[in-house]
Amino acid sequence: MTVPTLPDVKAKLLEGKRGLVVGIANEHSIAWGCARAFRALGAELAITYLNDKAQKYVEPLCEVLEAPIFMPLDMRESGQLEAVFERIEKEWGRLDFLVHSIAFSPKEALQGRVVDVGRDGFLATMDISCWSFIRMAHLAEPLMKDGGTLFTMSYYGSQMVVENYNIMGVAKAALEASVRYLAAELGPKNIRVHAISPGPLATRAASGIPEFDALLDKAKAKAPARSLVSIDDVGAAVAFLAHDAARLITGETLYIDGGYHIID
Ligand SMILES: NC(=O)c1ccc[n+]([C@@H]2O[C@H](COP(=O)([O-])OP(=O)(O)OC[C@H]3O[C@@H](n4cnc5c(N)ncnc54)[C@H](O)[C@@H]3O)[C@@H](O)[C@H]2O)c1
């Protein structure tokens, strides 16, 4: 892997802000696109990696980001999420933004019909892909003393039936509804909450979805922009929303899809 560099940005518009980014698996991850943009604009970051196997892919990226906090986080391991927030509290005493860019569904649940999904597959999908965001918001709330911004990644399959998206579409619908409730509950504390809904991107998570290439072809042909989305497009949007200038935008699902979702 050639280690990517940061874009050269002169105006450090996020200088002084501190954020947690969860979901970097490699240099194709949406979370990496977000982290790159935040850091290029001067923010300081805490980064997590799934486990020992993932560490060797994430660590070089973490070095590029000069992240002072680098910790393991598997949502299935009890105590790991709490440990990340304890460390943030100890080192920083506060948090300005958080990116939740993780999802998981067991293969047999994801690749079958929704009507056939078993209880364990359903619960695992909802647990890692939706509840984990609610719990992160819960732990972030006391640290966002001067307000803050919470982000999660969704997809159009939450709104429309997208072939092969299956139970993940159900989880993303719950995730987007969670964003609205969290935004309403945390808004009085100046904490904003956003779902970001990018068009399809060829990442590791996407490789679990059958016929993903056909989805990419369709996205490019149908989107008004006639273009696929990049992780840097997502990064630019979240960086703007993390800025104080976006203080009255909350509870939204923001599509970064070249306009795909407006076309019949
Ligand atoms: N790739 C796309 O086309 C696309 C489009 C819209 C939304 N999304 C969403 O974007 C998010 C990021 O996915 P990506 O496409 O960058 O793929 P990715 O594979 O790079 O990232 C997925 C991340 O989820 C993490 N993860 C999985 N199980 C976990 C667990 N138990 N605990 C902690 N972390 C866990 C993985 O370690 C990985 O870092 C997901 O929510 C995905 O649904 C992806």
Side-chain angles (χ1 to χ4, degrees):
M1 173 178 106
T2 49
V3 176
T5 52
L6 293 180
D8 185 18
V9 182
K10 290 203 174 64
K12 302 290 178 193
L13 297 171
L14 296 178
E15 194 142 47
K17 289 203 185 290
R18 288 165 167 169
L20 167 65
V21 177
V22 177
I24 303 179
N26 54 43
E27 76 275 25
H28 304 295
S29 295
I30 294 171
W32 164 243
C34 298
R36 246 166 71 90
F38 290 135
R39 183 64 189 149
L41 290 168
E44 200 171 7
L45 299 176
I47 301 296
T48 68
Y49 57 95
L50 182 64
N51 52 28
D52 289 353
K53 217 173 123 194
Q55 184 174 358
K56 64 173 178 292
Y57 300 102
V58 187
E59 198 155 22
L61 301 175
C62 181
E63 280 162 17
V64 173
L65 298 169
E66 301 166 303
I69 298 176
F70 183 58
M71 290 180 74
L73 173 59
D74 183 335
M75 285 302 302
R76 292 165 301 191
E77 300 288 334
S78 66
Q80 286 195 346
L81 183 64
E82 288 74 11
V84 169
F85 278 88
E86 275 160 26
R87 173 94 179 270
I88 288 171
E89 176 161 33
K90 198 161 147 244
E91 288 207 14
W92 288 344
R94 58 170 240 266
L95 188 67
D96 299 299
F97 61 86
L98 171 161
V99 174
H100 168 280
S101 186
I102 68 175
F104 173 76
S105 183
K107 198 173 171 187
E108 64 283 4
L110 181 64
Q111 299 194 353
R113 302 186 307 169
V114 170
V115 72
D116 300 325
V117 166
R119 187 162 190 251
D120 289 349
F122 176 81
L123 291 177
T125 307
M126 292 296 278
D127 182 23
I128 307 300
S129 312
C130 180
W131 181 79
S132 59
F133 181 58
I134 295 175
R135 184 57 21 176
M136 283 183 203
H138 173 84
L139 294 168
E141 181 184 4
L143 291 176
M144 294 190 159
K145 293 166 185 160
D146 306 319
T149 320
L150 308 171
F151 298 98
T152 185
M153 296 299 153
S154 192
Y155 179 61
Y156 184 62
S158 63
Q159 303 298 309
M160 303 296 271
V161 175
V162 173
E163 209 178 340
N164 295 314
Y165 205 58
N166 305 336
I167 194 64
M168 193 53 83
V170 176
K172 295 298 194 193
L175 184 65
E176 289 178 17
S178 307
V179 163
R180 289 187 286 273
Y181 280 88
L182 295 171
E185 291 167 1
L186 302 176
K189 294 186 171 172
N190 293 324
I191 299 174
R192 309 183 302 261
V193 192
H194 300 286
I196 305 295
S197 187
L201 289 134
T203 62
R204 217 188 53 202
S207 67
I209 298 169
E211 298 168 55
F212 192 74
D213 285 350
L215 206 67
L216 289 173
D217 292 345
K218 188 176 169 193
K220 195 169 175 185
K222 185 176 138 179
R226 301 284 187 275
S227 173
L228 289 175
V229 172
S230 76
I231 59 170
D232 294 330
D233 295 321
V234 181
V238 294
F240 162 66
L241 289 170
H243 192 270
D244 297 343
R247 71 191 179 89
L248 291 183
I249 309 173
T250 190
E252 272 299 332
T253 297
L254 178 69
Y255 288 91
I256 305 173
D257 64 352
Y260 182 95
H261 70 288
I262 65 162
I263 301 292
D264 179 22

